[in-house]
Amino acid sequence: MREVDCIIVGGGLAGLQAAIQLGRYSAHQVLVIDAGEGRSTLCRTYHNILGFPDGVSGEELRERGRMQAERTGVSFEKDRIVKAERHGEHIQLFGTSGTEYRSKTVLLATGLSDRVPDIPGLTPTLGRTVYVCPDCDGYEIQDQRTVLLGSGEAGANMAMILIQRTNDLLYINHEQAPISAELHRSMKEAGVRYLEAAVQEVQQIEDGHITGVLTEDGQIFESERGFIAFGGNRVHYELAEQLGAVIADNKHVEADPRSLQAATNVWIAGDLGLHAEQATVAMGEGSIAAIWIHKALQQMSKDSR
């Protein structure tokens, strides 16, 4: 069994920023356990992060972040944590590798997974010219011919946000899920074009630049930019629940707004929490949680003397 002062579950942007902050205190044994997946592994280009005006990929940020954390003495382990429980004053975590981990404190940065249907050509465009977050990337579709691929009311609600950015917006309800008459009326009045059709392929040129979509009935709809909104994203809240955190109705985890502590000796950061789901927010929360974990570990050290 491996025992440390703090385990960070999740090596995305929130977890890495926390690792860097904790490592720089030069006072704690910190371990990041990461399965190598997550939103940031899909995003080809973030355009809204300070210092990268031409964009930076999620993979590059993760690689740089890990290297930066390792320089401060933080350790990394590739594993998927599937169970968490308390043993006295410690928290024990169990990985699919069969390894057990024990720590005084835990930061959960397990995030969420977007529901992305297996449409040929879609994945290579994500974060390049097809986006998921209007707050992060609404700027990218300004006055551009845009296609929104979605499902039912999740897509319709996204369409009502995106139509504020471009007057050339087509919403294709890929799964033909129902939409209320009121939402239909709102989309029509706002100028959103609407189509119920299964998408056969997202067409693109090299480097993930969308050029259009092909529907199963053979129609091609040209596009310069795209968005997806299928709903049903999966929040990875289970470990937090096992450790006594309060889970909201939407499966995100509640935490103290100042410290981001969600349960005794358990903190959260990133898309797991109840807040705007943005890369920059996740990084900020990683730093905040790390500062409070440092304070808690200092107090534990004092109490044990």
Side-chain angles (χ1 to χ4, degrees):
M1 181 183 297
R2 189 165 181 183
E3 186 169 328
V4 295
D5 296 317
C6 180
I7 291 177
I8 298 171
V9 184
L13 305 188
L16 287 170
Q17 189 66 64
I20 292 167
Q21 181 68 34
L22 277 171
R24 287 172 62 84
Y25 287 117
S26 305
H28 316 299
Q29 289 182 304
V30 181
L31 173 64
V32 178
I33 303 175
D34 182 41
E37 302 171 1
R39 267 185 164 179
S40 56
T41 65
L42 292 176
C43 186
R44 270 54 176 181
T45 312
Y46 288 102
H47 292 98
N48 65 327
I49 293 179
L50 177 68
F52 295 96
D54 297 320
V56 61
S57 72
E59 289 286 10
E60 182 178 350
L61 279 176
R62 289 169 70 104
E63 183 178 342
R64 289 187 179 206
R66 175 168 178 161
M67 179 179 64
Q68 194 170 348
E70 286 177 331
R71 287 180 179 177
T72 67
V74 174
S75 299
F76 283 78
E77 188 78 32
K78 185 169 185 180
D79 203 349
R80 185 183 303 278
I81 302 301
V82 292
K83 182 181 177 183
E85 60 186 32
R86 295 183 183 274
H87 283 268
E89 296 182 352
H90 288 82
I91 294 170
Q92 195 162 328
L93 304 175
F94 302 83
T96 55
S97 67
T99 305
E100 297 179 16
Y101 309 86
R102 181 174 289 184
S103 181
K104 298 174 184 175
T105 60
V106 167
L107 170 62
L108 297 175
T110 48
L112 60 79
S113 298
D114 294 282
R115 188 169 73 87
V116 183
D118 186 18
I119 300 173
L122 175 57
T123 297
T125 67
L126 291 177
R128 181 74 73 187
T129 53
V130 176
Y131 312 101
V132 302
C133 173
D135 294 309
C136 303
D137 294 308
Y139 179 86
E140 304 300 327
I141 71 165
Q142 189 72 41
D143 301 324
Q144 300 287 310
R145 183 183 299 175
T146 302
V147 60
L148 166 63
L149 308 181
S151 177
E153 297 200 349
N157 287 321
M158 178 69 80
M160 294 303 297
I161 296 172
L162 298 181
I163 196 63
Q164 301 172 41
R165 287 288 192 171
T166 176
N167 59 9
D168 193 345
L169 176 64
L170 169 64
Y171 169 33
I172 300 180
N173 187 349
H174 171 70
E175 297 175 336
Q176 291 101 59
I179 299 174
S180 70
E182 182 180 354
L183 260 179
H184 269 298
R185 183 167 53 253
S186 296
M187 285 195 297
K188 184 175 181 180
E189 291 174 352
V192 177
R193 291 179 291 131
Y194 176 72
L195 175 68
E196 289 188 3
V199 176
Q200 179 175 311
E201 179 187 11
V202 173
Q203 299 181 329
Q204 57 180 301
I205 56 175
E206 61 183 31
D207 208 23
H209 283 77
I210 187 173
T211 60
V213 297
L214 170 67
T215 55
E216 286 189 339
D217 60 3
Q219 296 186 80
I220 294 177
F221 298 90
E222 294 182 354
S223 180
E224 298 166 299
R225 296 289 185 272
F227 255 85
I228 62 171
F230 291 98
N233 295 342
R234 180 171 176 262
V235 184
H236 301 288
Y237 68 91
E238 292 85 357
L239 297 177
E241 185 176 54
Q242 291 167 19
L243 293 173
V246 175
I247 311 302
D249 291 341
N250 64 1
K251 301 304 181 182
H252 287 270
V253 179
E254 297 185 10
D256 181 271
R258 184 181 181 196
S259 68
L260 299 178
Q261 187 168 0
T264 302
N265 295 334
V266 176
W267 286 259
I268 65 167
D271 292 345
L272 184 63
L274 285 160
H275 60 75
E277 296 168 7
Q278 285 189 288
T280 49
V281 171
M283 287 189 282
E285 288 194 340
S287 287
I288 290 170
I291 290 169
W292 285 90
I293 291 170
H294 170 63
K295 293 176 187 286
L297 288 170
Q298 282 185 312
Q299 188 60 51
M300 291 178 195
S301 179
K302 290 178 182 179
D303 293 344
S304 65
R305 291 173 188 169

